[in-house]
Amino acid sequence: MPRKLHPGDVIYTQDVLYRHYGVYEGNGKVIDFSSSKGHETDAADACIREKSLDAFANGRECSVDDSVEQKYSPTETVRRARSQIGKRKGEYNLATNNCEHFARECKSGKSESKQVQKVVAGAAITAGVIAVTATAIALGKKKGEEFES
């Protein structure tokens, strides 16, 4: 069972492919970086918004991300999030400026996305495996050619 939400918590909902992040303000309110159409990745009108916990969750369970470093107190985390309501916070970008970047920055002072870091690391590992495999195949073919000569 998920733990009780407290003001200043960085919370998320799990979608099929990604997590949507926000800062729990208390009293059933969340501050997030999203579009007016919801929290999908439509960058056209994305800005910092205050919404109900139900609207944020959109039918999904909310969880607390306890991995976020706490540089600021819960009160200061909420103040930092509230100070951005209505602002665009730069152009929404899935890789460099998304809802997770915003929520983590409010609590830790670091604008980062662990989701993006995992995807980048996974892509680098995949690229490395492909390069090693291609090299092994090429070397194997070359060795086979040497035997045919």
Side-chain angles (χ1 to χ4, degrees):
M1 178 173 193
R3 78 168 174 82
K4 185 177 188 274
L5 302 180
H6 300 285
D9 281 344
V10 171
I11 63 172
Y12 65 89
T13 60
Q14 181 69 54
D15 203 335
V16 175
L17 298 174
Y18 63 91
R19 290 177 173 180
H20 178 61
Y21 280 79
V23 173
Y24 185 66
E25 181 178 8
N27 299 318
K29 298 283 188 185
V30 179
I31 302 166
D32 71 351
F33 187 22
S34 63
S35 83
S36 62
K37 297 174 182 124
H39 56 69
E40 310 323 316
T41 56
D42 180 3
D45 71 342
C47 72
I48 309 304
R49 300 174 191 279
E50 179 183 59
K51 56 182 67 167
S52 71
L53 182 60
D54 287 340
F56 173 82
N58 195 26
R60 298 178 185 100
E61 184 176 294
C62 285
S63 300
V64 176
D65 188 340
D66 287 319
S67 74
V68 181
E69 174 188 332
Q70 183 172 337
K71 178 176 181 180
Y72 301 106
S73 70
T75 301
E76 181 63 10
T77 298
V78 170
R79 189 204 63 74
R80 289 168 56 83
R82 286 194 58 71
S83 74
Q84 299 300 305
I85 293 174
K87 296 181 181 175
R88 288 192 46 86
K89 197 189 171 303
E91 191 66 31
Y92 185 97
N93 181 294
L94 191 58
T96 61
N97 192 30
N98 66 39
C99 58
E100 185 180 4
H101 288 98
F102 165 72
R104 285 180 176 276
E105 185 175 11
C106 289
K107 186 169 186 166
S108 71
K110 296 177 185 174
S111 178
E112 62 184 359
S113 172
K114 297 297 184 181
Q115 294 178 100
V116 170
Q117 291 171 2
K118 285 178 185 175
V119 168
V120 169
I125 289 168
T126 301
V129 168
I130 290 170
V132 168
T133 302
T135 302
I137 290 169
L139 289 172
K141 283 184 179 180
K142 185 173 182 176
K143 200 157 196 78
E145 290 171 1
E146 290 172 5
F147 286 116
E148 290 175 9
S149 302

